[in-house]
Amino acid sequence: MRDDAAGESPTLEESGEFAVIERLVRNRRQPATVTLGPGDDGAVIATTDGRTVVSTDMLVQDRHFRLDWSTPYQVGRKAIAQNAADIEAMGARTTAFVVGFGAPGTTSTAEASALVDGMWDEAERVGAGIAGGDLVSCPQWVVSVTVLGDLQGRAPVLRSGAVPGSVVAVAGELGRSAAGYELLRNGIEEFPELRDRHLVPRPPYGQGAVAAAAGAVAMIDVSDGLISDLRHVAKASGVGIDLSAAALAADFDAVAAATAALGADGWAWVLGGGEDHALAACFTGAVPAGWRVIGRVIDGPARVLVDSREWEGYAGWQSFEG
């Protein structure tokens, strides 16, 4: 076995499953919501509400991330951030994560440690802990995360509550991740901030609960693209949604230099680009601080318009597209 002290990290295969797990969970500090963490057959999570919001998501190497673009630390942060955004979109507070990690036996323990460091750092940004998980051999990296959330006495904010006359607002930023992806794909080293926004998204933590407390009637995490995700809201609610290009001009301007460098359509990034993990919500009353109005809910049929016209450009990601 290679020795870490000699500057080389042993592989997962050389270390063995239980030794690696022990190393990955050693000296981690859990929040009060995790009353029993890793080390037993199951974890115990406290909830003040009596109900638990649960969501799960997977990242597969070369489909959702590339290790020639991302460090293991960045992959870890991304895995946690995108799952926490789903809990935010329900109007809940994230309490804990459970993580499954599959990787080849030749993966170094240093890489696995960096992945887990990224996960813990992002979980701490949310105020949650990693309560447990699993480690398995796999031909490529696969990261599966299940996240738990606490509604704290509030009703969940569903996709199906939008009503005509309400406004559509967003917390967070749009188009940055899509811009970063295209910059990385084309090997352009300019605009490091945009490239980083693809590698590590920045959900507006805490704003889901803010929206719920302010009376949001529908909400969704913008993971696949603004139009694509708002179509889910429109369909579930039986309404139309009309977005304002002028209200999204700041997002378009933020990626304008990158669009010029690539000869790309910035509106396709703003309206169709996913993985920024902004939140979009509908409000019948005042919109809280941290949110900006970008459109309105209109009578059905279920559709999403831009300036009262059908959007014919790229609308968002689908998992089984090529």
Side-chain angles (χ1 to χ4, degrees), residues 107-133:
T107 302
S108 72
T109 57
E111 290 175 306
S113 294
L115 174 80
V116 174
D117 284 344
M119 289 181 173
W120 270 100
D121 283 356
E122 195 69 21
E124 288 176 358
R125 285 177 169 83
V126 187
I130 298 175

Side-chain angles (χ1 to χ4, degrees), residues 175-197:
R176 276 67 161 181
S177 179
Y181 170 77
E182 291 298 332
L183 291 165
L184 287 160
R185 192 172 69 87
N186 286 276
I188 295 178
E189 296 184 358
E190 295 177 84
F191 315 107
E193 169 69 12
L194 293 176
R195 288 186 286 113
D196 184 63
R197 291 295 290 274

Side-chain angles (χ1 to χ4, degrees), residues 273-319:
E275 295 194 310
D276 282 296
H277 297 288
L279 299 175
C282 302
F283 296 89
T284 56
V287 174
W291 291 77
R292 53 194 169 103
V293 175
I294 61 168
R296 60 194 178 98
V297 179
I298 59 178
D299 289 327
R303 66 205 189 281
V304 178
L305 309 175
V306 180
D307 292 337
S308 301
R309 296 182 180 181
E310 293 282 348
W311 171 250
E312 297 180 355
Y314 178 68
W317 164 271
Q318 295 186 43
S319 290

Side-chain angles (χ1 to χ4, degrees), residues 2 59 131 155:
R2 289 176 288 178
L59 286 84

